[in-house]
Amino acid sequence: MPAIHIRRANHDDLAAVVAGNINMAQETEGLSLDPVRVSAGVGHLIEHPELGHYWLAFCGQTFAGQCMITTEWSDWRNQPMWWFQSVYVVPSLRRRGVFSALYQHVATEAQTQGVRDLRLYVERQNQPAQATYRQLGMLHSHYDMFETVLRSED
């Protein structure tokens, strides 16, 4: 397999990121996402890096995976925390170090920018992903997640 290289997403990557998000939602949650809505959401994030950004992994010239990073500010710690979201690796390239490369790249970037923690949430049933996160040294948090849906999807 060719070496894995990581770079930030740009507008030319819109279709690949949208496809990754749609595939990830179907695979992990059984959700069928609206491609038009997802495309608008991905495009908005690419245009507004203050909200977050995508990192893409490539094996040679082949798209291999992605993750989105958003920032949370911790007033208790007076430091930022980064959240991994929209994590997706092309099925034929799984277990070949793609997410590990993304994770290591993000961790290095986070350290240079003074980020305190890297966090993510994962479906309780997604045991393969949880095993990968543990292998990278991530720990299961003591927090549970709650949410209130204020607006249904139109």
Side-chain angles (χ1 to χ4, degrees):
M1 185 168 95
I4 299 168
H5 66 278
I6 311 295
R7 67 167 175 78
R8 274 197 191 218
N10 59 52
H11 278 287
D12 293 338
D13 302 309
L14 185 73
V17 175
V18 168
N21 284 346
I22 289 171
N23 292 336
M24 179 267 306
Q26 181 62 50
E27 181 180 327
T28 61
E29 300 183 46
L31 296 176
S32 296
L33 301 181
D34 174 12
V36 173
R37 180 183 294 265
V38 175
S39 183
V42 170
H44 186 82
L45 190 69
I46 290 172
E47 291 172 12
H48 297 278
E50 70 277 9
L51 298 176
H53 55 277
Y54 294 96
W55 289 105
L56 306 183
F58 292 86
C59 294
Q61 299 300 313
T62 303
F63 172 77
Q66 70 186 45
C67 66
M68 179 176 79
I69 300 299
T70 57
T71 301
E72 174 186 347
W73 181 256
S74 174
D75 56 348
W76 289 9
R77 298 169 181 96
N78 193 28
Q79 292 177 297
M81 295 179 287
W82 280 3
W83 284 85
F84 282 90
Q85 298 182 61
S86 300
V87 173
Y88 181 72
V89 175
V90 173
S92 63
L93 297 173
R94 291 180 186 164
R95 310 301 306 160
R96 297 185 182 196
V98 174
F99 182 70
S100 293
L102 281 163
Y103 176 85
Q104 294 303 326
H105 185 87
V106 169
T108 299
E109 286 286 320
Q111 287 176 331
T112 65
Q113 295 187 37
V115 172
R116 183 182 189 280
D117 295 326
L118 297 176
R119 293 183 170 177
L120 57 78
Y121 52 88
V122 60
E123 287 290 318
R124 288 185 182 105
Q125 295 78 22
N126 194 343
Q127 296 301 316
Q130 291 178 41
T132 296
Y133 304 145
R134 283 187 188 95
Q135 287 172 352
L136 290 168
M138 297 186 87
L139 304 173
H140 188 267
S141 174
H142 61 279
Y143 294 109
D144 281 331
M145 189 177 116
F146 290 78
E147 68 180 347
T148 300
V149 177
L150 296 175
R151 184 174 166 188
S152 64
E153 292 185 23
D154 302 327

